[in-house]
Amino acid sequence: MDDQPALTIDQLLIQSRLGLERVLPEDLNREMSAGALVVDTRPADQRERDGEFPGAIVIDRNVLEWRLDPSSPSRLPIADDHSRRIVIVCNEGYSSSLAAHTLQRLGLTRATDLVGGFQAWLALQNQIKD
């Protein structure tokens, strides 16, 4: 082990977000129109309860890095460019920040996440309807 002090999860989250250009829910359609790959990492029970995320691909969090790293033999065909914009979506925007940071460490320099996650996006959709 190295001599760095252990971080709390809050410190790790702050540190992870430092390098992210996080996407606001109201800007997501623009990102998608520009070619961003939106990845829904919510577990199946949350997707069943709250609904699918239109236009997103679903990748389980436990295999995310293997599916999106262009050098991985287990990558998805769409994961062929280290410079592609990737927006990770979780339920509330916490685990997605950690995941996006990990993807950046793998060389996916434009990986980021959705502020507030699916719940913030859903609230915006409901607000637009009203």
Side-chain angles (χ1 to χ4, degrees), residues 19-31:
L20 302 179
E21 294 176 11
R22 301 182 78 213
V23 176
L24 296 171
E26 56 267 25
D27 295 332
L28 187 60
N29 283 339
R30 181 177 43 83
E31 292 279 347

Side-chain angles (χ1 to χ4, degrees), residues 1-89:
M1 289 199 91
D2 54 34
D3 293 331
Q4 293 182 353
L7 298 175
T8 67
I9 187 58
D10 290 334
Q11 291 169 325
L12 181 61
L13 188 60
I14 289 167
Q15 187 178 75
S16 295
R17 287 178 173 167
L18 288 176
L20 302 179
E21 294 176 11
R22 301 182 78 213
V23 176
L24 296 171
E26 56 267 25
D27 295 332
L28 187 60
N29 283 339
R30 181 177 43 83
E31 292 279 347
M32 292 173 80
S33 294
L37 176 65
V38 178
V39 178
D40 186 350
T41 61
R42 294 175 299 142
D45 63 323
Q46 289 178 351
R47 293 192 315 272
E48 289 171 16
R49 180 190 69 210
D50 297 332
E52 298 295 324
F53 200 110
I57 64 167
V58 174
I59 302 177
D60 289 338
R61 176 62 191 97
N62 65 323
V63 295
L64 182 72
E65 292 82 359
W66 287 269
R67 299 297 183 259
L68 294 180
D69 179 359
S71 68
S72 171
S74 300
R75 75 173 176 82
L76 296 174
I78 199 166
D80 59 355
D81 183 359
H82 276 94
S83 65
R84 177 146 195 200
R85 179 72 153 170
I86 299 172
V87 181
I88 305 298
V89 179

Side-chain angles (χ1 to χ4, degrees), residues 84-122:
R84 177 146 195 200
R85 179 72 153 170
I86 299 172
V87 181
I88 305 298
V89 179
C90 67
N91 195 49
E92 293 183 342
Y94 296 101
S95 67
S96 58
S97 294
L98 301 174
H101 175 74
T102 302
L103 291 175
Q104 284 190 350
R105 298 214 38 213
L106 290 173
L108 296 158
T109 58
R110 297 184 65 217
T112 191
D113 73 324
L114 183 65
V115 175
F118 181 83
Q119 294 304 321
W121 176 85
L122 185 60

